[in-house]
Amino acid sequence: MSIRLLAFGIAKEIVGKSELILKVKSSVSSAELKQILIDKYPTLPDFMLAVNQCYADDDQIILANDTVAIIPPTNGG
Amino acid sequence: MIDVKLCTDKLIVEECYKKVIDDSCGCVNLFVGTVRERNNNKIVKSLEFEAYKPMAIKEMENIAHQAKELWSVKNILIYHRIGRLRVGDIPVVIAAAATHRREAIKASHFIIDTLKHTVPIWKKEYYDDGSQWINPHP
């Protein structure tokens, strides 16, 4: 299935764009997707994943049509 | 009342203050962030704040609700600016109005500390000789 992936900050620079479509096997968990991204982009700093604008737990299953965002360490304020 | 906003316009402290004052409250605690000219021994020319806007708004609302559950606070305002800012500009204003000072101060302290860790906003610094995204936990 395809996942819509958003990238921000340093992650956007490493991935090379702010939005991409990633093809994965069905029923991938948040932790598995994280590992796929680490393998694909080894220079990514420590990051979290957000699914549909909420921080995801490791065991959360990503569904088709979900929007996933790579959230590098935040730095507002 | 909870009022959160992301904007590219200049933040006006007086306006933020006026939004939270209430006759039932005895104080307003304001936290105002400012862009400083030096970070890690480099002279900062300007900053760029980027946000995952819809999630940032949700997280700011979450923090405000948590603060209201933890302390007796009447009104909370969290405004964050995004885009390009210069030294001296204000990236963030937090205002908390409460009956008593301790609640307002504790709520503001909690809000700014939590905002830095959970609200998806990122900062890039620009120098004379380049730029870099700032990692708060290198």
Side-chain angles (χ1 to χ4, degrees):
Chain A
M1 67 174 190
S2 298
I3 294 169
R4 180 171 172 242
L5 197 66
L6 308 178
F8 297 93
I10 184 88
K12 183 175 69 180
E13 279 181 13
I14 290 167
V15 169
K17 45 191 147 182
S18 58
E19 185 170 345
L20 65 150
I21 302 294
L22 193 70
K23 291 209 181 300
V24 295
K25 67 179 173 81
S26 55
S27 304
V28 67
S29 72
S30 170
E32 286 168 330
L33 179 58
K34 230 178 139 175
Q35 194 54 52
I36 290 168
L37 290 168
I38 291 166
D39 293 344
K40 198 170 161 73
Y41 306 104
T43 55
L44 274 178
D46 188 31
F47 64 93
M48 296 186 66
L49 289 180
V51 177
N52 302 328
Q53 302 165 14
C54 293
Y55 285 109
D57 293 328
D58 280 352
D59 56 0
Q60 182 171 342
I61 300 298
I62 315 287
L63 304 172
N65 301 321
D66 279 346
T67 297
V68 179
I70 304 173
I71 309 283
T74 62
N75 207 341
Chain B
M1 172 271 269
I2 287 174
D3 186 0
V4 306
K5 185 168 84 171
L6 279 177
C7 63
T8 52
D9 302 335
K10 210 171 178 175
L11 295 178
I12 312 290
V13 176
E14 180 82 10
E15 284 176 12
C16 298
Y17 163 72
K18 282 183 177 161
K19 279 178 182 277
V20 299
I21 51 174
D22 188 276
D23 285 349
S24 69
C25 294
C27 63
V28 173
N29 188 254
L30 282 165
F31 175 86
V32 180
T34 51
V35 176
R36 67 170 179 269
E37 66 170 358
R38 190 178 280 271
N39 195 23
N40 297 325
N41 283 326
K42 294 198 92 168
I43 300 290
V44 177
K45 292 288 171 192
S46 64
L47 288 182
E48 182 189 341
F49 284 97
E50 181 184 46
Y52 180 14
K53 290 179 198 164
M55 183 173 168
I57 292 287
K58 275 189 190 178
E59 286 296 324
M60 287 156 80
E61 286 171 348
N62 282 344
I63 295 169
H65 284 291
Q66 285 176 49
K68 286 194 96 166
E69 279 175 23
L70 291 166
W71 296 283
S72 178
V73 178
K74 173 90 176 172
N75 295 324
I76 290 174
L77 172 147
I78 310 173
Y79 284 0
H80 204 295
R81 200 170 157 194
I82 49 176
R84 190 64 79 95
L85 277 74
R86 304 202 167 274
V87 173
D89 283 349
I90 297 174
V92 65
V93 176
I94 290 160
T99 311
H100 301 295
R101 67 184 184 284
R102 285 184 211 284
E103 280 75 11
I105 292 169
K106 283 180 179 171
S108 300
H109 189 174
F110 166 81
I111 291 166
I112 184 61
D113 282 1
T114 312
L115 178 148
K116 283 185 174 283
H117 284 105
T118 66
V119 177
I121 296 175
W122 299 275
K123 179 165 74 178
K124 190 175 194 176
E125 288 180 347
Y126 289 81
Y127 320 106
D128 269 341
D129 59 348
S131 63
Q132 66 172 342
W133 288 100
I134 300 303
N135 185 345
H137 319 292

